[in-house]
Short mmCIF file of all heavy atoms in Angstrom, two decimals:
data_model
loop_
_atom_site.label_atom_id
_atom_site.label_comp_id
_atom_site.label_asym_id
_atom_site.label_seq_id
_atom_site.Cartn_x
_atom_site.Cartn_y
_atom_site.Cartn_z
N THR A 203 -3.31 -7.93 -3.21
CA THR A 203 -3.91 -6.78 -2.54
C THR A 203 -3.41 -6.70 -1.05
O THR A 203 -3.21 -5.58 -0.57
CB THR A 203 -5.46 -6.90 -2.53
OG1 THR A 203 -5.86 -7.06 -3.87
CG2 THR A 203 -6.08 -5.67 -1.92
N LEU A 204 -3.20 -7.81 -0.43
CA LEU A 204 -2.75 -7.81 0.96
C LEU A 204 -1.40 -7.08 1.19
O LEU A 204 -1.18 -6.52 2.22
CB LEU A 204 -2.66 -9.21 1.55
CG LEU A 204 -4.04 -9.87 1.93
CD1 LEU A 204 -3.82 -11.32 2.32
CD2 LEU A 204 -4.68 -9.10 3.02
N TRP A 205 -0.57 -7.14 0.15
CA TRP A 205 0.74 -6.41 0.25
C TRP A 205 0.55 -4.92 0.39
O TRP A 205 1.39 -4.18 0.91
CB TRP A 205 1.61 -6.75 -0.94
CG TRP A 205 2.17 -8.15 -0.93
CD1 TRP A 205 1.83 -9.16 -1.76
CD2 TRP A 205 3.15 -8.68 -0.02
NE1 TRP A 205 2.52 -10.31 -1.44
CE2 TRP A 205 3.38 -10.04 -0.37
CE3 TRP A 205 3.85 -8.15 1.05
CZ2 TRP A 205 4.22 -10.84 0.31
CZ3 TRP A 205 4.78 -8.97 1.75
CH2 TRP A 205 4.91 -10.27 1.35
N GLY A 206 -0.56 -4.44 -0.10
CA GLY A 206 -0.85 -2.98 -0.07
C GLY A 206 -1.89 -2.62 0.98
O GLY A 206 -2.45 -1.51 0.89
N ALA A 207 -2.11 -3.48 1.96
CA ALA A 207 -3.21 -3.25 2.90
C ALA A 207 -2.99 -1.89 3.61
O ALA A 207 -3.98 -1.18 3.90
CB ALA A 207 -3.26 -4.36 3.93
N PHE A 208 -1.73 -1.59 3.94
CA PHE A 208 -1.46 -0.36 4.66
C PHE A 208 -1.95 0.94 3.91
O PHE A 208 -2.33 1.90 4.50
CB PHE A 208 0.01 -0.26 5.07
CG PHE A 208 0.91 0.02 3.92
CD1 PHE A 208 1.37 1.35 3.64
CD2 PHE A 208 1.35 -1.01 3.09
CE1 PHE A 208 2.18 1.58 2.60
CE2 PHE A 208 2.20 -0.71 2.01
CZ PHE A 208 2.61 0.59 1.78
N THR A 209 -1.84 0.87 2.60
CA THR A 209 -2.19 2.06 1.83
C THR A 209 -3.73 2.35 1.94
O THR A 209 -4.13 3.52 1.92
CB THR A 209 -1.85 1.86 0.32
OG1 THR A 209 -2.55 0.79 -0.23
CG2 THR A 209 -0.36 1.60 0.19
N PHE A 210 -4.48 1.26 2.00
CA PHE A 210 -5.95 1.42 2.14
C PHE A 210 -6.30 2.08 3.47
O PHE A 210 -7.08 3.01 3.56
CB PHE A 210 -6.68 0.05 2.04
CG PHE A 210 -6.61 -0.50 0.61
CD1 PHE A 210 -5.55 -1.29 0.21
CD2 PHE A 210 -7.65 -0.29 -0.27
CE1 PHE A 210 -5.46 -1.81 -1.08
CE2 PHE A 210 -7.58 -0.81 -1.58
CZ PHE A 210 -6.50 -1.60 -1.97
N ILE A 211 -5.76 1.52 4.56
CA ILE A 211 -6.11 1.98 5.91
C ILE A 211 -5.65 3.43 6.07
O ILE A 211 -6.43 4.31 6.57
CB ILE A 211 -5.47 1.13 7.01
CG1 ILE A 211 -5.76 -0.36 6.81
CG2 ILE A 211 -5.86 1.62 8.38
CD1 ILE A 211 -7.21 -0.70 6.93
N LEU A 212 -4.41 3.80 5.63
CA LEU A 212 -3.97 5.19 5.78
C LEU A 212 -4.80 6.14 4.91
O LEU A 212 -5.09 7.24 5.36
CB LEU A 212 -2.49 5.22 5.30
CG LEU A 212 -1.51 4.52 6.26
CD1 LEU A 212 -0.05 4.60 5.60
CD2 LEU A 212 -1.51 5.22 7.61
N THR A 213 -5.21 5.68 3.75
CA THR A 213 -6.08 6.51 2.90
C THR A 213 -7.41 6.88 3.59
O THR A 213 -7.87 8.05 3.63
CB THR A 213 -6.34 5.84 1.54
OG1 THR A 213 -5.10 5.66 0.90
CG2 THR A 213 -7.22 6.74 0.66
N PHE A 214 -8.07 5.83 4.22
CA PHE A 214 -9.30 6.07 4.91
C PHE A 214 -9.11 7.00 6.07
O PHE A 214 -9.95 7.88 6.30
CB PHE A 214 -9.86 4.74 5.39
CG PHE A 214 -10.66 4.01 4.32
CD1 PHE A 214 -10.24 2.76 3.80
CD2 PHE A 214 -11.89 4.50 3.89
CE1 PHE A 214 -10.95 2.10 2.89
CE2 PHE A 214 -12.62 3.84 2.94
CZ PHE A 214 -12.18 2.63 2.40
N ALA A 215 -8.06 6.84 6.89
CA ALA A 215 -7.80 7.68 8.04
C ALA A 215 -7.58 9.13 7.60
O ALA A 215 -8.14 10.07 8.24
CB ALA A 215 -6.59 7.15 8.83
N ALA A 216 -6.81 9.33 6.60
CA ALA A 216 -6.61 10.68 6.08
C ALA A 216 -7.81 11.33 5.55
O ALA A 216 -8.14 12.50 5.84
CB ALA A 216 -5.50 10.71 4.98
N ALA A 217 -8.69 10.56 4.83
CA ALA A 217 -9.91 11.07 4.31
C ALA A 217 -10.86 11.45 5.45
O ALA A 217 -11.50 12.50 5.40
CB ALA A 217 -10.57 9.98 3.45
N GLY A 218 -10.88 10.67 6.53
CA GLY A 218 -11.71 11.00 7.66
C GLY A 218 -11.35 12.26 8.38
O GLY A 218 -12.12 13.10 8.73
N ALA A 219 -10.01 12.47 8.49
CA ALA A 219 -9.46 13.69 9.11
C ALA A 219 -9.79 14.94 8.23
O ALA A 219 -10.22 15.99 8.76
CB ALA A 219 -7.98 13.61 9.35
N LEU A 220 -9.61 14.79 6.99
CA LEU A 220 -9.91 15.92 6.05
C LEU A 220 -11.40 16.26 6.05
O LEU A 220 -11.81 17.42 5.99
CB LEU A 220 -9.41 15.60 4.62
CG LEU A 220 -7.88 15.63 4.48
CD1 LEU A 220 -7.45 15.07 3.13
CD2 LEU A 220 -7.35 17.05 4.56
N MET A 221 -12.28 15.22 6.08
CA MET A 221 -13.69 15.45 6.09
C MET A 221 -14.10 16.25 7.36
O MET A 221 -14.94 17.07 7.37
CB MET A 221 -14.48 14.14 5.96
CG MET A 221 -14.38 13.54 4.60
SD MET A 221 -15.10 11.90 4.56
CE MET A 221 -14.71 11.40 2.85
N ALA A 222 -13.50 15.84 8.46
CA ALA A 222 -13.76 16.55 9.78
C ALA A 222 -13.34 17.98 9.63
O ALA A 222 -13.94 18.87 10.26
CB ALA A 222 -13.00 15.86 10.87
N LEU A 223 -12.31 18.29 8.87
CA LEU A 223 -11.85 19.68 8.67
C LEU A 223 -12.66 20.42 7.61
O LEU A 223 -12.39 21.58 7.34
CB LEU A 223 -10.36 19.65 8.25
CG LEU A 223 -9.37 19.26 9.33
CD1 LEU A 223 -8.02 18.85 8.78
CD2 LEU A 223 -9.16 20.45 10.29
N GLY A 224 -13.63 19.72 7.05
CA GLY A 224 -14.48 20.34 6.01
C GLY A 224 -14.02 20.19 4.59
O GLY A 224 -14.53 20.82 3.68
N ASP A 225 -12.93 19.38 4.39
CA ASP A 225 -12.37 19.17 3.06
C ASP A 225 -12.77 17.79 2.51
O ASP A 225 -12.22 16.79 2.87
CB ASP A 225 -10.85 19.28 3.16
CG ASP A 225 -10.20 19.04 1.81
OD1 ASP A 225 -10.91 18.87 0.78
OD2 ASP A 225 -8.92 18.99 1.73
N THR A 226 -13.82 17.81 1.72
CA THR A 226 -14.19 16.52 1.04
C THR A 226 -13.66 16.49 -0.40
O THR A 226 -13.74 15.48 -1.07
CB THR A 226 -15.78 16.41 0.97
OG1 THR A 226 -16.30 17.58 0.28
CG2 THR A 226 -16.31 16.38 2.36
N ARG A 227 -13.14 17.62 -0.87
CA ARG A 227 -12.74 17.72 -2.26
C ARG A 227 -11.44 16.93 -2.53
O ARG A 227 -11.33 16.29 -3.60
CB ARG A 227 -12.49 19.14 -2.66
CG ARG A 227 -13.74 20.00 -2.65
CD ARG A 227 -13.48 21.41 -3.11
NE ARG A 227 -14.73 22.26 -3.12
CZ ARG A 227 -14.78 23.49 -3.48
NH1 ARG A 227 -13.66 24.10 -3.86
NH2 ARG A 227 -15.92 24.15 -3.50
#
C-alpha cells in the first residue's frame, strides 16, 4: 500500500476541491 500512497492523498485533495465546487457526484 505504501507504494501507492500518493494516489490516496491526491484523491482526497481532488475530492475536497470538487466538494467545495458543489460536485459530490
Side-chain angles (χ1 to χ4, degrees):
T203 305
L204 283 174
W205 288 111
F208 71 98
T209 63
F210 291 86
I211 306 296
L212 291 175
T213 299
F214 276 113
L220 287 169
M221 288 172 186
L223 289 162
D225 179 5
T226 59
R227 294 183 178 180

